Amino acid sequence: IETEDGTIGSGNAALALSVVKAAIDERFPPVVIGEDPCDYAYLWEKMYRRSHAWGRKGIGMIAISAVDLAIWDLMGKLAGKPVFKRLGGRTKEKIPVYYSKLYSGPIDVMQAEAAEAQKNGYSAYKMRFGWGPKDGMAGMRENLKRVEAVREVIGYDVDLMVECYMGWNLDYAKRMLPKLVKYEPRWLEEPVIADDVEGYRELNAMNIIPISGGEHEFSIIGCKDLIEKKAVSVLQYDTNRVGGITAAQKINAIAEAH
């Protein structure tokens, strides 16, 4: 987004970039052009309401997210300050991060990757599962072998998160959770499809392993439902899907209140 003085704010979209770009180029210029970028809340509501019939989730909300992120970047540049200074400022000297890769593959390759990542001093790691319901008990064993193998390398003094990327169903997840307990995962991420909120709630209520999700939610309302239904213990929305920073601030407030 460019202002009349030539300052440019940049945003990004999470998915389906060519389709999102078309939505932005065709639908949002009349909504945004000529407005004050500092009226970000008004602009967000304007975009949301003008696109509500077709865009309250998915492509439309990703497009709103990209524009909103660009507006926030623009506001930071106009103020001469990083965006985090407009969001309450610094709360700590360092922000912990985790190594997020370890895609399911040959065990020796995964172990070598984990060992290489250790050289960078990570205190937490996230790995992916490669087998699901269609693979039966044999697939379960393959999943468990790889969790055990990664733990052999990184030990138990650091966190290990395990990611399903919506590849399981409720029954499979309920059978896997007890088998994973001995490996002490910090959380199990997206075990079932995003629309199965009741499935998330049921798995989280088992109180065996914390359940995380929200990456494929596309609005404040979607995240509110996950929180209020206690469907997740760890909320992991993507700012470039839920409506940008303007929406993210509201989601954070709801999460904090719970």
Side-chain angles (χ1 to χ4, degrees), residues 64-124:
I64 290 173
S65 301
V67 175
D68 184 79
L69 288 167
I71 289 171
W72 276 90
D73 184 50
L74 187 59
M75 288 194 294
K77 289 174 178 175
L78 292 173
K81 293 182 180 296
V83 172
F84 80 85
K85 288 292 188 181
R86 300 183 63 92
L87 297 172
R90 187 186 303 277
T91 59
K92 53 181 72 69
E93 288 302 313
K94 294 182 178 180
I95 298 175
V97 299
Y98 59 81
Y99 181 79
S100 181
K101 197 176 178 183
L102 291 168
Y103 287 92
S104 189
I107 287 175
D108 60 337
V109 173
M110 294 182 71
Q111 287 187 316
E113 181 186 343
E116 184 65 25
Q118 281 184 305
K119 297 176 183 178
N120 293 309
Y122 290 102
S123 60

Side-chain angles (χ1 to χ4, degrees), residues 12 20-21 23 33 46 49 62 67 95-96 104 123 137 158 160 171 214 219 224 235 241 246 250:
N12 69 85
V20 172
K21 184 179 186 304
I33 290 174
K46 197 175 177 185
R49 291 175 182 275
I62 295 172
V67 175
I95 298 175
S104 189
S123 60
M137 289 300 298
V158 296
L160 176 63
D171 176 69
S219 67
K224 178 183 76 72
L235 181 64
R241 299 183 194 188
T246 301
K250 298 176 182 180

Side-chain angles (χ1 to χ4, degrees), residues 199-213:
Y200 278 93
R201 187 205 63 76
E202 190 171 335
L203 292 170
N204 207 38
M206 291 172 68
N207 202 30
I208 297 177
I209 297 170
I211 303 299
S212 75

Side-chain angles (χ1 to χ4, degrees), residues 11-70:
N12 69 85
L15 302 165
L17 303 185
S18 61
V19 184
V20 172
K21 184 179 186 304
I24 293 173
D25 291 345
E26 295 174 14
R27 298 286 181 155
F28 290 147
V31 180
V32 176
I33 290 174
E35 298 285 359
D36 183 342
C38 292
D39 294 335
Y40 63 89
Y42 165 70
L43 289 173
W44 195 97
E45 286 293 334
K46 197 175 177 185
M47 289 188 289
Y48 176 64
R49 291 175 182 275
R50 293 284 182 89
S51 64
H52 190 79
W54 58 270
R56 64 191 182 88
K57 290 192 175 186
I59 298 301
M61 190 53 70
I62 295 172
I64 290 173
S65 301
V67 175
D68 184 79
L69 288 167

